[in-house]
Amino acid sequence: MTRKLSVLVVDNEELVANSLVQILNMFGFNASSGYSGSQAIDRANTAAFDVLISEVVMDGLTGIDSAIEILKVLPNCKVLLVSGDNRTDDMLKDAHEGGHDFDILAKPVHPSVIIDRLKAMSVVN
């Protein structure tokens, strides 16, 4: 029996995070939500996640900053960023210069796109 992929969904819009978590759980993933970058880091320090799905632009820590911190504790965690903000390109460029390359999807993202990405990741693991 294969283990369910553990997914942390982070978005400062709680409805967005909670809706995606419900959908992912219906499709057989073990998903839970966080509502800020710092909360995501706290969660990663207490539970091992296979995948982080995070909004990029949030109050406080960005999704990129929190992903970099989470990778320090969970180096095998895959990161999938989502954003509807045009400032994201510059943030991704800065992260790339720091040695981090992240997959990003433009909002709005249909849940089926995320599910397909997660299925592809679980085959690789």
Side-chain angles (χ1 to χ4, degrees):
M1 182 173 160
T2 56
R3 185 177 66 82
K4 287 183 177 182
L5 210 56
S6 178
V7 182
L8 176 59
V9 177
V10 183
D11 197 307
N12 56 340
E13 292 183 48
E14 292 186 21
L15 181 63
V16 172
N18 293 341
S19 298
L20 184 54
V21 164
Q22 283 185 329
I23 292 166
L24 293 178
N25 285 331
M26 284 188 331
F27 278 85
F29 298 98
N30 180 15
S32 58
S33 56
Y35 311 117
S36 70
S38 56
Q39 190 179 48
I41 294 167
D42 291 344
R43 300 285 311 278
N45 281 313
T46 58
F49 293 97
D50 299 307
V51 181
L52 167 68
I53 299 174
S54 180
E55 165 65 52
V56 174
V57 180
M58 297 183 286
D59 293 336
L61 284 176
T62 69
I64 294 172
D65 292 337
S66 57
I68 290 169
E69 289 303 309
I70 288 169
L71 288 172
K72 291 177 183 175
V73 211
L74 301 172
N76 296 323
C77 184
K78 306 273 192 267
V79 177
L80 180 58
L81 300 173
V82 291
S83 180
D85 192 299
N86 56 7
R87 294 174 289 177
T88 302
D89 289 343
D90 290 336
M91 291 184 214
L92 284 172
K93 186 174 177 246
D94 292 344
H96 176 75
E97 288 170 1
H100 301 280
D101 287 311
F102 298 119
D103 282 339
I104 186 154
L105 297 172
K107 276 185 168 181
V109 181
H110 193 277
S112 64
V113 173
I114 293 174
I115 290 165
D116 288 346
R117 284 282 180 101
L118 291 174
K119 286 180 178 174
M121 288 177 186
S122 61
V123 171
V124 174
N125 286 345

